[in-house]
């Protein structure tokens, strides 16, 4: 079956009791057993829940995995993956990663004795230089955040396996519609399913999908032991979102490419970072690795200072000023003060997160309406600035 058919049918067999075409939401926290010590398929909802199992089946199919686990948030999923490591072991992470992953690595993992070094994964030499004898895992994003770098995933996976390291890929920005890292040999795929997978900004959720049973069993053990599972109601919402995932992502990619092209010609824009534009440093690789589009996220640098950038992001009427991404409504944010505020200033500078960087998440509204909104917001960069301050109100 094709991707979009599996999104609707795998994990969604009609309910045998009623014929319902939608999986029931099972709020039960416990399940009656046949006899003492005679365990049925479900016993206690942290360990397993029918609604969660159903969506996990769909997720495993969409990521081409042996299995998938659904968590209460993306960070809970990432945390579970890091718990595969023991104190004294080491992770090499990409430089272009989500601020919350940066915070988990540097302020939680480190205090638990798991060391993390960030390296420029665009460059295998820099990855090699970051390795230590105790390195166990490489953590990267298939489309980086917020510069939208596209690392050479096949080369990194080969490098990792040559060095007996696990490769974990945060596939949130690409979604399995555009890229399926397990098919390329990655060991773990992580999602903030809060984003494209759920797709409607109403379901905080996370996913780990894995290629083999042994790793699945280890992660399941940690998930069950630590308990950050997805609730039955959120499992239902995630399942509903997945059914339209491919259609949403394709349409969002189409609009995003048009908006990126529009921004590239705008006089108030310094540069646009969108992997679908030939001007993006990783365009050729993105064209090779991603299928069906280049994602719904655009980052651009406005031709103005910190305050004027803040005015722009405050002035949109359709793009909501909010973190998060991948959903039906378009959003705008300033990474330096919002999604990447948990980076320290030096790390922000190193990752190229300047004060005038703006990140857009393109939703499903009409292209014309979104562009009109951006047009009037970009004009606000100059509002309230004394004349004679320079061409762009600097
Ligand atoms: C790329 C990426 N990874 C992980 C996360 C964390 O996911 P959650 O917010 O669902 O915990 C986010 C959230 O914005 C993200 O953008």
């Amino acid at each position: 079956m094709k991707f979009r058919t599996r999104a609707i049918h795998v994990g969604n067999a009609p309910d045998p009791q009623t014929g319902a075409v939608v999986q029931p939401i099972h709020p039960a926290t416990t399940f009656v057993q046949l006899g003492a010590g005679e365990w049925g398929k479900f016993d206690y909802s942290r360990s397993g829940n029918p609604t969660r199992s159903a969506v996990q089946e769909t997720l495993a199919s969409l990521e081409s995995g042996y299995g998938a686990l659904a968590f209460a948030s993306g960070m809970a999923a990432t945390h579970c993956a890091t718990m595969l490591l023991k104190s004294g072991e080491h992770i090499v992470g990409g430089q272009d990663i989500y601020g919350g992953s940066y915070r988990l690595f540097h302020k939680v993992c480190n205090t638990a004795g798991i060391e993390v070094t960030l390296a420029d994964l665009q460059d295998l030499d820099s990855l090699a230089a970051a390795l230590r004898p105790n390195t166990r895992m490489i953590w990267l994003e298939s489309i980086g955040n917020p510069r939208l770098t596209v690392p050479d995933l096949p080369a990194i996976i080969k490098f990792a396996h040559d060095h007996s390291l696990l490769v974990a890929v945060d596939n949130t920005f690409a979604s399995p519609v555009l890229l399926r890292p397990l098919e390329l040999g990655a060991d773990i795929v992580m999602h903030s399913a809060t984003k494209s997978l759920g797709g409607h900004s109403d379901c905080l959720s996370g996913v780990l999908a894995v290629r083999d049973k042994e790793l699945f069993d280890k992660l399941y053990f940690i998930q069950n032991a630590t308990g950050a599972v997805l609730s039955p109601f959120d499992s239902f919402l995630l399942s509903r979102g997945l059914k339209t995932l491919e259609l949403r992502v394709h349409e969002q990619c189409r609009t995003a490419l048009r908006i990126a092209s529009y921004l590239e010609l705008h006089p108030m824009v310094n540069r646009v970072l969108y992997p679908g534009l030939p001007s993006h440093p990783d365009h050729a690789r993105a064209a090779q690795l991603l299928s069906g589009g280049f994602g719904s996220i655009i980052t651009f640098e406005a031709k103005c200072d910190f305050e004027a950038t803040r005015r722009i992001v405050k002035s949109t009427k359709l793009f909501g000023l909010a973190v998060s991404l991948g959903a039906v409504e378009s959003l705008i944010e300033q990474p330096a003060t919002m999604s990447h505020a948990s980076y320290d200033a030096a790390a922000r500078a190193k990752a190229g997160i300047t004060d005038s960087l703006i990140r857009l998440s393109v939703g499903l509204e009409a292209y014309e309406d979104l562009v009109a909104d951006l047009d009037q917001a970009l004009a606000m960069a100059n509002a309230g600035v004394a004349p004679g301050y320079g061409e762009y109100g600097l």
Side-chain angles (χ1 to χ4, degrees), residues 49-65:
N49 173 281
T51 319
R52 193 166 84 242
S53 285
V55 75
Q56 289 180 162
E57 205 184 321
T58 319
L59 290 161
S61 169
L62 297 184
E63 278 292 358
S64 304

Side-chain angles (χ1 to χ4, degrees), residues 15-139:
D15 179 42
Q17 252 180 3
T18 62
V21 296
V22 175
Q23 288 295 307
I25 302 171
H26 288 278
T29 53
T30 193
F31 301 81
V32 169
Q33 306 302 313
L34 290 174
E38 288 176 57
W39 297 108
K41 186 168 176 200
F42 297 102
D43 51 72
Y44 184 65
S45 223
R46 169 163 40 73
S47 312
N49 173 281
T51 319
R52 193 166 84 242
S53 285
V55 75
Q56 289 180 162
E57 205 184 321
T58 319
L59 290 161
S61 169
L62 297 184
E63 278 292 358
S64 304
Y66 163 81
L69 296 165
F71 291 82
S73 72
M75 289 319 303
T78 304
H79 183 235
C80 180
T82 64
M83 297 287 288
L84 287 168
L85 275 73
K86 295 194 285 288
S87 170
E89 295 185 324
H90 177 240
I91 299 173
V92 178
Q95 263 169 10
D96 203 13
I97 56 170
Y98 169 59
S101 307
Y102 178 94
R103 179 175 51 204
L104 176 77
F105 289 156
H106 290 85
K107 300 193 175 145
V108 178
C109 289
N110 278 8
T111 58
I114 297 166
E115 299 166 56
V116 183
T117 309
L118 300 189
D120 177 7
L121 299 186
Q122 299 301 90
D123 170 15
L124 283 189
D125 289 341
S126 135
L127 169 58
L131 287 199
R132 298 186 194 161
N134 57 346
T135 307
R136 283 262 342 258
M137 180 187 276
I138 297 179
W139 181 275

Side-chain angles (χ1 to χ4, degrees), residues 1-3 5-6 9-10:
M1 282 190 283
K2 302 280 190 210
F3 187 95
T5 312
R6 285 185 277 127
H9 288 283
V10 175

Side-chain angles (χ1 to χ4, degrees), residues 73-76 78 98 101 141 145 170 172-173 190 192-195 204-206 324-325 359:
S73 72
M75 289 319 303
T78 304
Y98 169 59
S101 307
E141 298 189 6
N145 187 357
D170 180 336
T172 301
F173 274 38
M190 174 268 164
S192 169
T194 315
K195 311 297 176 340
L204 193 72
S205 47
S324 204
L325 52 106
R359 191 181 78 184

Side-chain angles (χ1 to χ4, degrees), residues 50-305:
T51 319
R52 193 166 84 242
S53 285
V55 75
Q56 289 180 162
E57 205 184 321
T58 319
L59 290 161
S61 169
L62 297 184
E63 278 292 358
S64 304
Y66 163 81
L69 296 165
F71 291 82
S73 72
M75 289 319 303
T78 304
H79 183 235
C80 180
T82 64
M83 297 287 288
L84 287 168
L85 275 73
K86 295 194 285 288
S87 170
E89 295 185 324
H90 177 240
I91 299 173
V92 178
Q95 263 169 10
D96 203 13
I97 56 170
Y98 169 59
S101 307
Y102 178 94
R103 179 175 51 204
L104 176 77
F105 289 156
H106 290 85
K107 300 193 175 145
V108 178
C109 289
N110 278 8
T111 58
I114 297 166
E115 299 166 56
V116 183
T117 309
L118 300 189
D120 177 7
L121 299 186
Q122 299 301 90
D123 170 15
L124 283 189
D125 289 341
S126 135
L127 169 58
L131 287 199
R132 298 186 194 161
N134 57 346
T135 307
R136 283 262 342 258
M137 180 187 276
I138 297 179
W139 181 275
L140 72 156
E141 298 189 6
S142 50
I143 300 182
N145 187 357
R147 286 180 300 142
L148 309 177
T149 47
V150 180
D152 187 348
L153 206 47
I156 292 170
I157 291 168
K158 179 170 182 326
F159 176 93
H161 291 167
D162 287 349
H163 292 81
S164 307
L165 307 175
L166 288 172
V167 186
V169 182
D170 180 336
N171 200 28
T172 301
F173 274 38
S175 89
V177 176
L178 306 183
L179 182 70
R180 290 171 296 281
L182 299 183
E183 290 178 6
L184 300 175
D187 302 288
I188 302 174
V189 160
M190 174 268 164
H191 278 282
S192 169
T194 315
K195 311 297 176 340
S196 304
L197 302 193
H200 295 75
S201 303
D202 56 9
C203 168
L204 193 72
S205 47
V207 175
L208 292 179
V210 292
R211 226 157 33 97
D212 76 67
K213 179 175 179 337
E214 196 188 332
L215 198 51
F216 178 85
D217 289 346
K218 280 186 190 163
L219 289 166
Y220 170 74
F221 180 86
I222 298 168
Q223 186 196 38
N224 186 37
T226 52
V229 295
L230 193 63
S231 76
F233 184 68
D234 286 331
S235 298
F236 154 71
L237 284 176
L238 179 53
S239 170
R240 188 165 68 162
L242 289 173
K243 291 174 186 171
T244 54
L245 176 66
E246 184 179 294
L247 306 187
R248 286 186 284 105
V249 168
H250 280 163
E251 186 57 23
Q252 286 169 271
C253 289
R254 262 193 291 275
T255 310
L257 180 58
R258 292 177 75 189
I259 291 180
S261 308
Y262 149 84
L263 286 172
E264 201 163 43
L265 297 176
H266 198 287
M268 274 305 298
V269 173
N270 236 344
R271 63 182 181 132
V272 180
L273 289 169
Y274 183 67
L277 294 178
S279 58
H280 190 281
D282 298 333
H283 174 65
R285 186 180 299 139
Q288 206 180 4
L289 279 179
L290 306 176
S291 62
F294 295 92
S296 58
I297 314 303
I298 303 168
T299 302
F300 68 96
E301 201 169 58
K303 245 183 217 171
C304 57
D305 64 5

